[in-house]
PDB file of all heavy atoms in Angstrom:
ATOM      1  N   TRP H1026      94.913 117.285 125.576  1.00  0.00           N
ATOM      2  CA  TRP H1026      94.833 116.949 124.131  1.00  0.00           C
ATOM      3  C   TRP H1026      94.670 118.191 123.245  1.00  0.00           C
ATOM      4  O   TRP H1026      94.677 118.078 122.013  1.00  0.00           O
ATOM      5  CB  TRP H1026      93.755 115.927 123.873  1.00  0.00           C
ATOM      6  CG  TRP H1026      92.369 116.231 124.357  1.00  0.00           C
ATOM      7  CD1 TRP H1026      91.728 115.611 125.349  1.00  0.00           C
ATOM      8  CD2 TRP H1026      91.426 117.232 123.864  1.00  0.00           C
ATOM      9  NE1 TRP H1026      90.474 116.114 125.554  1.00  0.00           N
ATOM     10  CE2 TRP H1026      90.254 117.123 124.655  1.00  0.00           C
ATOM     11  CE3 TRP H1026      91.438 118.164 122.832  1.00  0.00           C
ATOM     12  CZ2 TRP H1026      89.134 117.920 124.440  1.00  0.00           C
ATOM     13  CZ3 TRP H1026      90.375 119.002 122.646  1.00  0.00           C
ATOM     14  CH2 TRP H1026      89.200 118.818 123.434  1.00  0.00           C
ATOM     15  N   VAL H1027      94.545 119.359 123.828  1.00  0.00           N
ATOM     16  CA  VAL H1027      94.422 120.573 123.067  1.00  0.00           C
ATOM     17  C   VAL H1027      95.640 120.806 122.124  1.00  0.00           C
ATOM     18  O   VAL H1027      95.507 121.485 121.109  1.00  0.00           O
ATOM     19  CB  VAL H1027      94.192 121.834 123.966  1.00  0.00           C
ATOM     20  CG1 VAL H1027      95.450 122.239 124.683  1.00  0.00           C
ATOM     21  CG2 VAL H1027      93.604 122.961 123.208  1.00  0.00           C
ATOM     22  N   ASP H1028      96.760 120.145 122.451  1.00  0.00           N
ATOM     23  CA  ASP H1028      97.957 120.306 121.609  1.00  0.00           C
ATOM     24  C   ASP H1028      98.189 119.099 120.688  1.00  0.00           C
ATOM     25  O   ASP H1028      99.296 118.943 120.128  1.00  0.00           O
ATOM     26  CB  ASP H1028      99.171 120.584 122.507  1.00  0.00           C
ATOM     27  CG  ASP H1028      99.093 121.964 123.090  1.00  0.00           C
ATOM     28  OD1 ASP H1028      98.785 122.946 122.373  1.00  0.00           O
ATOM     29  OD2 ASP H1028      99.354 122.155 124.298  1.00  0.00           O
ATOM     30  N   THR H1029      97.198 118.256 120.549  1.00  0.00           N
ATOM     31  CA  THR H1029      97.300 117.094 119.651  1.00  0.00           C
ATOM     32  C   THR H1029      97.152 117.568 118.184  1.00  0.00           C
ATOM     33  O   THR H1029      96.273 118.382 117.903  1.00  0.00           O
ATOM     34  CB  THR H1029      96.189 116.065 119.941  1.00  0.00           C
ATOM     35  OG1 THR H1029      96.320 115.648 121.293  1.00  0.00           O
ATOM     36  CG2 THR H1029      96.272 114.851 119.036  1.00  0.00           C
ATOM     37  N   ALA H1030      97.980 117.038 117.327  1.00  0.00           N
ATOM     38  CA  ALA H1030      97.943 117.400 115.885  1.00  0.00           C
ATOM     39  C   ALA H1030      96.754 116.704 115.221  1.00  0.00           C
ATOM     40  O   ALA H1030      96.448 115.584 115.528  1.00  0.00           O
ATOM     41  CB  ALA H1030      99.246 117.014 115.180  1.00  0.00           C
ATOM     42  N   CYS H1031      96.136 117.435 114.289  1.00  0.00           N
ATOM     43  CA  CYS H1031      95.034 116.885 113.565  1.00  0.00           C
ATOM     44  C   CYS H1031      95.020 117.494 112.142  1.00  0.00           C
ATOM     45  O   CYS H1031      95.751 118.449 111.859  1.00  0.00           O
ATOM     46  CB  CYS H1031      93.719 117.082 114.235  1.00  0.00           C
ATOM     47  SG  CYS H1031      93.268 118.834 114.469  1.00  0.00           S
ATOM     48  N   GLN H1032      94.185 116.983 111.307  1.00  0.00           N
ATOM     49  CA  GLN H1032      94.091 117.447 109.921  1.00  0.00           C
ATOM     50  C   GLN H1032      92.637 117.681 109.584  1.00  0.00           C
ATOM     51  O   GLN H1032      92.017 116.873 108.891  1.00  0.00           O
ATOM     52  CB  GLN H1032      94.748 116.351 109.023  1.00  0.00           C
ATOM     53  CG  GLN H1032      95.147 116.864 107.672  1.00  0.00           C
ATOM     54  CD  GLN H1032      95.987 115.865 106.930  1.00  0.00           C
ATOM     55  OE1 GLN H1032      96.468 114.874 107.472  1.00  0.00           O
ATOM     56  NE2 GLN H1032      96.165 116.061 105.657  1.00  0.00           N
ATOM     57  N   PRO H1033      92.041 118.767 110.111  1.00  0.00           N
ATOM     58  CA  PRO H1033      90.620 118.982 109.920  1.00  0.00           C
ATOM     59  C   PRO H1033      90.245 119.150 108.456  1.00  0.00           C
ATOM     60  O   PRO H1033      91.047 119.668 107.672  1.00  0.00           O
ATOM     61  CB  PRO H1033      90.343 120.262 110.713  1.00  0.00           C
ATOM     62  CG  PRO H1033      91.678 120.969 110.743  1.00  0.00           C
ATOM     63  CD  PRO H1033      92.691 119.896 110.776  1.00  0.00           C
ATOM     64  N   ILE H1034      89.037 118.685 108.128  1.00  0.00           N
ATOM     65  CA  ILE H1034      88.573 118.730 106.722  1.00  0.00           C
ATOM     66  C   ILE H1034      87.198 119.408 106.712  1.00  0.00           C
ATOM     67  O   ILE H1034      86.375 119.145 107.594  1.00  0.00           O
ATOM     68  CB  ILE H1034      88.571 117.350 106.074  1.00  0.00           C
ATOM     69  CG1 ILE H1034      88.201 117.412 104.579  1.00  0.00           C
ATOM     70  CG2 ILE H1034      87.719 116.359 106.847  1.00  0.00           C
ATOM     71  CD1 ILE H1034      88.438 116.171 103.803  1.00  0.00           C
ATOM     72  N   GLY H1061      92.035 117.659 105.492  1.00  0.00           N
ATOM     73  CA  GLY H1061      92.214 118.961 104.903  1.00  0.00           C
ATOM     74  C   GLY H1061      93.687 119.265 104.636  1.00  0.00           C
ATOM     75  O   GLY H1061      94.589 118.469 104.962  1.00  0.00           O
ATOM     76  N   PRO H1062      93.988 120.431 104.083  1.00  0.00           N
ATOM     77  CA  PRO H1062      95.362 120.782 103.779  1.00  0.00           C
ATOM     78  C   PRO H1062      96.190 121.224 104.977  1.00  0.00           C
ATOM     79  O   PRO H1062      97.425 121.196 104.893  1.00  0.00           O
ATOM     80  CB  PRO H1062      95.187 121.972 102.769  1.00  0.00           C
ATOM     81  CG  PRO H1062      93.889 122.573 103.181  1.00  0.00           C
ATOM     82  CD  PRO H1062      93.018 121.432 103.626  1.00  0.00           C
ATOM     83  N   ASP H1063      95.572 121.539 106.058  1.00  0.00           N
ATOM     84  CA  ASP H1063      96.249 122.006 107.259  1.00  0.00           C
ATOM     85  C   ASP H1063      96.562 120.901 108.237  1.00  0.00           C
ATOM     86  O   ASP H1063      95.688 120.035 108.494  1.00  0.00           O
ATOM     87  CB  ASP H1063      95.450 123.033 108.020  1.00  0.00           C
ATOM     88  CG  ASP H1063      95.103 124.276 107.161  1.00  0.00           C
ATOM     89  OD1 ASP H1063      95.979 124.741 106.432  1.00  0.00           O
ATOM     90  OD2 ASP H1063      93.949 124.740 107.258  1.00  0.00           O
ATOM     91  N   VAL H1064      97.770 120.853 108.803  1.00  0.00           N
ATOM     92  CA  VAL H1064      98.070 119.995 109.921  1.00  0.00           C
ATOM     93  C   VAL H1064      98.296 120.968 111.093  1.00  0.00           C
ATOM     94  O   VAL H1064      99.266 121.691 111.117  1.00  0.00           O
ATOM     95  CB  VAL H1064      99.325 119.138 109.640  1.00  0.00           C
ATOM     96  CG1 VAL H1064      99.714 118.364 110.914  1.00  0.00           C
ATOM     97  CG2 VAL H1064      99.093 118.178 108.521  1.00  0.00           C
ATOM     98  N   ILE H1065      97.322 120.962 112.018  1.00  0.00           N
ATOM     99  CA  ILE H1065      97.345 121.911 113.107  1.00  0.00           C
ATOM    100  C   ILE H1065      96.867 121.250 114.414  1.00  0.00           C
ATOM    101  O   ILE H1065      96.446 120.117 114.366  1.00  0.00           O
ATOM    102  CB  ILE H1065      96.453 123.176 112.793  1.00  0.00           C
ATOM    103  CG1 ILE H1065      95.037 122.773 112.484  1.00  0.00           C
ATOM    104  CG2 ILE H1065      97.011 123.941 111.629  1.00  0.00           C
ATOM    105  CD1 ILE H1065      94.078 123.894 112.190  1.00  0.00           C
ATOM    106  N   THR H1066      96.909 121.979 115.469  1.00  0.00           N
ATOM    107  CA  THR H1066      96.449 121.456 116.773  1.00  0.00           C
ATOM    108  C   THR H1066      95.020 121.896 116.992  1.00  0.00           C
ATOM    109  O   THR H1066      94.534 122.848 116.411  1.00  0.00           O
ATOM    110  CB  THR H1066      97.331 121.904 117.931  1.00  0.00           C
ATOM    111  OG1 THR H1066      97.206 123.336 118.026  1.00  0.00           O
ATOM    112  CG2 THR H1066      98.779 121.516 117.730  1.00  0.00           C
ATOM    113  N   TYR H1067      94.337 121.230 117.981  1.00  0.00           N
ATOM    114  CA  TYR H1067      93.021 121.678 118.376  1.00  0.00           C
ATOM    115  C   TYR H1067      93.074 123.076 118.960  1.00  0.00           C
ATOM    116  O   TYR H1067      92.152 123.873 118.773  1.00  0.00           O
ATOM    117  CB  TYR H1067      92.381 120.701 119.361  1.00  0.00           C
ATOM    118  CG  TYR H1067      92.120 119.325 118.695  1.00  0.00           C
ATOM    119  CD1 TYR H1067      92.928 118.202 118.986  1.00  0.00           C
ATOM    120  CD2 TYR H1067      91.115 119.171 117.782  1.00  0.00           C
ATOM    121  CE1 TYR H1067      92.696 117.007 118.388  1.00  0.00           C
ATOM    122  CE2 TYR H1067      90.849 117.953 117.167  1.00  0.00           C
ATOM    123  CZ  TYR H1067      91.665 116.891 117.469  1.00  0.00           C
ATOM    124  OH  TYR H1067      91.436 115.659 116.835  1.00  0.00           O
ATOM    125  N   ARG H1068      94.157 123.388 119.631  1.00  0.00           N
ATOM    126  CA  ARG H1068      94.357 124.724 120.168  1.00  0.00           C
ATOM    127  C   ARG H1068      94.296 125.749 119.037  1.00  0.00           C
ATOM    128  O   ARG H1068      93.618 126.769 119.118  1.00  0.00           O
ATOM    129  CB  ARG H1068      95.732 124.842 120.858  1.00  0.00           C
ATOM    130  CG  ARG H1068      96.055 126.275 121.336  1.00  0.00           C
ATOM    131  CD  ARG H1068      97.528 126.422 121.695  1.00  0.00           C
ATOM    132  NE  ARG H1068      97.971 125.513 122.719  1.00  0.00           N
ATOM    133  CZ  ARG H1068      98.191 125.843 123.987  1.00  0.00           C
ATOM    134  NH1 ARG H1068      97.993 127.079 124.349  1.00  0.00           N
ATOM    135  NH2 ARG H1068      98.583 124.945 124.860  1.00  0.00           N
ATOM    136  N   ARG H1069      94.995 125.441 117.943  1.00  0.00           N
ATOM    137  CA  ARG H1069      95.057 126.393 116.819  1.00  0.00           C
ATOM    138  C   ARG H1069      93.649 126.529 116.157  1.00  0.00           C
ATOM    139  O   ARG H1069      93.257 127.624 115.752  1.00  0.00           O
ATOM    140  CB  ARG H1069      96.072 125.960 115.776  1.00  0.00           C
ATOM    141  CG  ARG H1069      96.223 126.945 114.697  1.00  0.00           C
ATOM    142  CD  ARG H1069      96.836 128.281 115.126  1.00  0.00           C
ATOM    143  NE  ARG H1069      96.784 129.236 114.062  1.00  0.00           N
ATOM    144  CZ  ARG H1069      96.320 130.481 114.206  1.00  0.00           C
ATOM    145  NH1 ARG H1069      95.875 130.930 115.393  1.00  0.00           N
ATOM    146  NH2 ARG H1069      96.243 131.300 113.203  1.00  0.00           N
ATOM    147  N   ILE H1070      92.896 125.433 116.115  1.00  0.00           N
ATOM    148  CA  ILE H1070      91.549 125.474 115.571  1.00  0.00           C
ATOM    149  C   ILE H1070      90.712 126.463 116.422  1.00  0.00           C
ATOM    150  O   ILE H1070      89.983 127.319 115.866  1.00  0.00           O
ATOM    151  CB  ILE H1070      90.876 124.128 115.524  1.00  0.00           C
ATOM    152  CG1 ILE H1070      91.592 123.220 114.510  1.00  0.00           C
ATOM    153  CG2 ILE H1070      89.391 124.230 115.178  1.00  0.00           C
ATOM    154  CD1 ILE H1070      91.162 121.766 114.534  1.00  0.00           C
ATOM    155  N   MET H1071      90.814 126.347 117.738  1.00  0.00           N
ATOM    156  CA  MET H1071      90.079 127.259 118.623  1.00  0.00           C
ATOM    157  C   MET H1071      90.499 128.715 118.432  1.00  0.00           C
ATOM    158  O   MET H1071      89.675 129.610 118.438  1.00  0.00           O
ATOM    159  CB  MET H1071      90.234 126.810 120.069  1.00  0.00           C
ATOM    160  CG  MET H1071      89.482 125.548 120.388  1.00  0.00           C
ATOM    161  SD  MET H1071      89.451 125.141 122.161  1.00  0.00           S
ATOM    162  CE  MET H1071      91.106 124.546 122.423  1.00  0.00           C
ATOM    163  N   GLU H1072      91.811 128.921 118.237  1.00  0.00           N
ATOM    164  CA  GLU H1072      92.300 130.259 118.010  1.00  0.00           C
ATOM    165  C   GLU H1072      91.776 130.868 116.705  1.00  0.00           C
ATOM    166  O   GLU H1072      91.367 132.013 116.665  1.00  0.00           O
ATOM    167  CB  GLU H1072      93.851 130.260 118.013  1.00  0.00           C
ATOM    168  CG  GLU H1072      94.452 129.995 119.385  1.00  0.00           C
ATOM    169  CD  GLU H1072      95.973 129.752 119.338  1.00  0.00           C
ATOM    170  OE1 GLU H1072      96.525 129.494 118.261  1.00  0.00           O
ATOM    171  OE2 GLU H1072      96.548 129.742 120.428  1.00  0.00           O
ATOM    172  N   ILE H1073      91.804 130.016 115.657  1.00  0.00           N
ATOM    173  CA  ILE H1073      91.292 130.453 114.329  1.00  0.00           C
ATOM    174  C   ILE H1073      89.823 130.798 114.463  1.00  0.00           C
ATOM    175  O   ILE H1073      89.376 131.835 113.969  1.00  0.00           O
ATOM    176  CB  ILE H1073      91.540 129.410 113.259  1.00  0.00           C
ATOM    177  CG1 ILE H1073      93.032 129.285 112.995  1.00  0.00           C
ATOM    178  CG2 ILE H1073      90.776 129.740 111.976  1.00  0.00           C
ATOM    179  CD1 ILE H1073      93.430 128.128 112.082  1.00  0.00           C
ATOM    180  N   TYR H1074      89.082 129.927 115.144  1.00  0.00           N
ATOM    181  CA  TYR H1074      87.647 130.167 115.332  1.00  0.00           C
ATOM    182  C   TYR H1074      87.400 131.518 116.062  1.00  0.00           C
ATOM    183  O   TYR H1074      86.600 132.327 115.636  1.00  0.00           O
ATOM    184  CB  TYR H1074      86.976 129.031 116.108  1.00  0.00           C
ATOM    185  CG  TYR H1074      85.521 129.318 116.383  1.00  0.00           C
ATOM    186  CD1 TYR H1074      84.535 128.961 115.450  1.00  0.00           C
ATOM    187  CD2 TYR H1074      85.143 129.997 117.550  1.00  0.00           C
ATOM    188  CE1 TYR H1074      83.182 129.266 115.666  1.00  0.00           C
ATOM    189  CE2 TYR H1074      83.763 130.282 117.792  1.00  0.00           C
ATOM    190  CZ  TYR H1074      82.848 129.908 116.802  1.00  0.00           C
ATOM    191  OH  TYR H1074      81.526 130.230 117.042  1.00  0.00           O
ATOM    192  N   LEU H1118      90.442 112.365 120.913  1.00  0.00           N
ATOM    193  CA  LEU H1118      91.166 113.610 120.674  1.00  0.00           C
ATOM    194  C   LEU H1118      92.624 113.559 121.141  1.00  0.00           C
ATOM    195  O   LEU H1118      93.403 114.387 120.729  1.00  0.00           O
ATOM    196  CB  LEU H1118      90.418 114.786 121.329  1.00  0.00           C
ATOM    197  CG  LEU H1118      89.038 115.086 120.720  1.00  0.00           C
ATOM    198  CD1 LEU H1118      88.332 116.132 121.546  1.00  0.00           C
ATOM    199  CD2 LEU H1118      89.168 115.493 119.294  1.00  0.00           C
ATOM    200  N   THR H1120      94.666 111.272 120.348  1.00  0.00           N
ATOM    201  CA  THR H1120      95.418 110.533 119.281  1.00  0.00           C
ATOM    202  C   THR H1120      95.564 111.458 118.079  1.00  0.00           C
ATOM    203  O   THR H1120      94.542 111.928 117.559  1.00  0.00           O
ATOM    204  CB  THR H1120      94.706 109.264 118.864  1.00  0.00           C
ATOM    205  OG1 THR H1120      94.513 108.461 120.020  1.00  0.00           O
ATOM    206  CG2 THR H1120      95.472 108.521 117.833  1.00  0.00           C
ATOM    207  N   PRO H1121      96.782 111.672 117.598  1.00  0.00           N
ATOM    208  CA  PRO H1121      96.937 112.486 116.352  1.00  0.00           C
ATOM    209  C   PRO H1121      96.127 111.870 115.210  1.00  0.00           C
ATOM    210  O   PRO H1121      96.189 110.643 115.018  1.00  0.00           O
ATOM    211  CB  PRO H1121      98.431 112.442 116.062  1.00  0.00           C
ATOM    212  CG  PRO H1121      99.065 112.148 117.398  1.00  0.00           C
ATOM    213  CD  PRO H1121      98.058 111.234 118.129  1.00  0.00           C
ATOM    214  N   VAL H1122      95.433 112.703 114.488  1.00  0.00           N
ATOM    215  CA  VAL H1122      94.631 112.227 113.365  1.00  0.00           C
ATOM    216  C   VAL H1122      95.181 112.868 112.118  1.00  0.00           C
ATOM    217  O   VAL H1122      94.839 114.006 111.736  1.00  0.00           O
ATOM    218  CB  VAL H1122      93.146 112.607 113.572  1.00  0.00           C
ATOM    219  CG1 VAL H1122      92.298 112.062 112.434  1.00  0.00           C
ATOM    220  CG2 VAL H1122      92.641 112.087 114.899  1.00  0.00           C
ATOM    221  N   LEU H1123      96.121 112.141 111.474  1.00  0.00           N
ATOM    222  CA  LEU H1123      96.769 112.666 110.288  1.00  0.00           C
ATOM    223  C   LEU H1123      96.720 111.631 109.168  1.00  0.00           C
ATOM    224  O   LEU H1123      96.842 110.460 109.436  1.00  0.00           O
ATOM    225  CB  LEU H1123      98.244 112.980 110.617  1.00  0.00           C
ATOM    226  CG  LEU H1123      98.480 113.958 111.789  1.00  0.00           C
ATOM    227  CD1 LEU H1123      99.962 114.021 112.096  1.00  0.00           C
ATOM    228  CD2 LEU H1123      97.910 115.308 111.446  1.00  0.00           C
ATOM    229  N   THR H1138      89.706 122.967 101.075  1.00  0.00           N
ATOM    230  CA  THR H1138      89.425 124.135 101.844  1.00  0.00           C
ATOM    231  C   THR H1138      90.243 124.104 103.094  1.00  0.00           C
ATOM    232  O   THR H1138      90.249 123.132 103.855  1.00  0.00           O
ATOM    233  CB  THR H1138      87.935 124.190 102.224  1.00  0.00           C
ATOM    234  OG1 THR H1138      87.162 123.986 101.032  1.00  0.00           O
ATOM    235  CG2 THR H1138      87.552 125.525 102.835  1.00  0.00           C
ATOM    236  N   ASN H1139      91.005 125.204 103.411  1.00  0.00           N
ATOM    237  CA  ASN H1139      91.786 125.182 104.619  1.00  0.00           C
ATOM    238  C   ASN H1139      90.876 125.460 105.811  1.00  0.00           C
ATOM    239  O   ASN H1139      89.729 125.894 105.671  1.00  0.00           O
ATOM    240  CB  ASN H1139      92.981 126.145 104.542  1.00  0.00           C
ATOM    241  CG  ASN H1139      92.589 127.607 104.521  1.00  0.00           C
ATOM    242  OD1 ASN H1139      91.687 128.054 105.237  1.00  0.00           O
ATOM    243  ND2 ASN H1139      93.259 128.385 103.717  1.00  0.00           N
ATOM    244  N   CYS H1140      91.397 125.271 106.997  1.00  0.00           N
ATOM    245  CA  CYS H1140      90.638 125.376 108.239  1.00  0.00           C
ATOM    246  C   CYS H1140      90.013 126.774 108.371  1.00  0.00           C
ATOM    247  O   CYS H1140      88.832 126.890 108.688  1.00  0.00           O
ATOM    248  CB  CYS H1140      91.524 125.026 109.413  1.00  0.00           C
ATOM    249  SG  CYS H1140      90.651 125.003 110.965  1.00  0.00           S
ATOM    250  N   ARG H1141      90.767 127.788 108.154  1.00  0.00           N
ATOM    251  CA  ARG H1141      90.297 129.147 108.346  1.00  0.00           C
ATOM    252  C   ARG H1141      89.134 129.405 107.401  1.00  0.00           C
ATOM    253  O   ARG H1141      88.095 129.979 107.781  1.00  0.00           O
ATOM    254  CB  ARG H1141      91.392 130.176 108.142  1.00  0.00           C
ATOM    255  CG  ARG H1141      90.931 131.612 108.383  1.00  0.00           C
ATOM    256  CD  ARG H1141      92.039 132.603 108.279  1.00  0.00           C
ATOM    257  NE  ARG H1141      93.066 132.438 109.303  1.00  0.00           N
ATOM    258  CZ  ARG H1141      92.950 132.882 110.555  1.00  0.00           C
ATOM    259  NH1 ARG H1141      91.903 133.576 110.946  1.00  0.00           N
ATOM    260  NH2 ARG H1141      93.913 132.682 111.433  1.00  0.00           N
ATOM    261  N   GLU H1142      89.246 129.031 106.161  1.00  0.00           N
ATOM    262  CA  GLU H1142      88.204 129.247 105.129  1.00  0.00           C
ATOM    263  C   GLU H1142      86.955 128.468 105.542  1.00  0.00           C
ATOM    264  O   GLU H1142      85.829 128.973 105.349  1.00  0.00           O
ATOM    265  CB  GLU H1142      88.678 128.811 103.750  1.00  0.00           C
ATOM    266  CG  GLU H1142      89.736 129.700 103.175  1.00  0.00           C
ATOM    267  CD  GLU H1142      90.372 129.074 101.892  1.00  0.00           C
ATOM    268  OE1 GLU H1142      90.191 127.875 101.669  1.00  0.00           O
ATOM    269  OE2 GLU H1142      91.077 129.796 101.176  1.00  0.00           O
ATOM    270  N   ILE H1144      85.962 127.538 108.547  1.00  0.00           N
ATOM    271  CA  ILE H1144      85.342 128.180 109.709  1.00  0.00           C
ATOM    272  C   ILE H1144      84.661 129.488 109.249  1.00  0.00           C
ATOM    273  O   ILE H1144      83.511 129.758 109.677  1.00  0.00           O
ATOM    274  CB  ILE H1144      86.370 128.425 110.832  1.00  0.00           C
ATOM    275  CG1 ILE H1144      86.781 127.096 111.432  1.00  0.00           C
ATOM    276  CG2 ILE H1144      85.867 129.428 111.847  1.00  0.00           C
ATOM    277  CD1 ILE H1144      87.942 127.167 112.421  1.00  0.00           C
TER     278      ILE H1144
END
Side-chain angles (χ1 to χ4, degrees):
W1026 53 251
V1027 75
D1028 290 316
T1029 301
C1031 62
Q1032 200 169 347
I1034 184 167
D1063 302 318
V1064 174
I1065 58 180
T1066 64
Y1067 294 107
R1068 174 195 302 257
R1069 185 66 190 131
I1070 293 171
M1071 290 188 283
E1072 290 169 347
I1073 292 169
Y1074 177 87
L1118 294 173
T1120 304
V1122 183
L1123 305 172
T1138 310
N1139 69 41
C1140 184
R1141 183 175 296 278
E1142 291 168 347
I1144 289 171

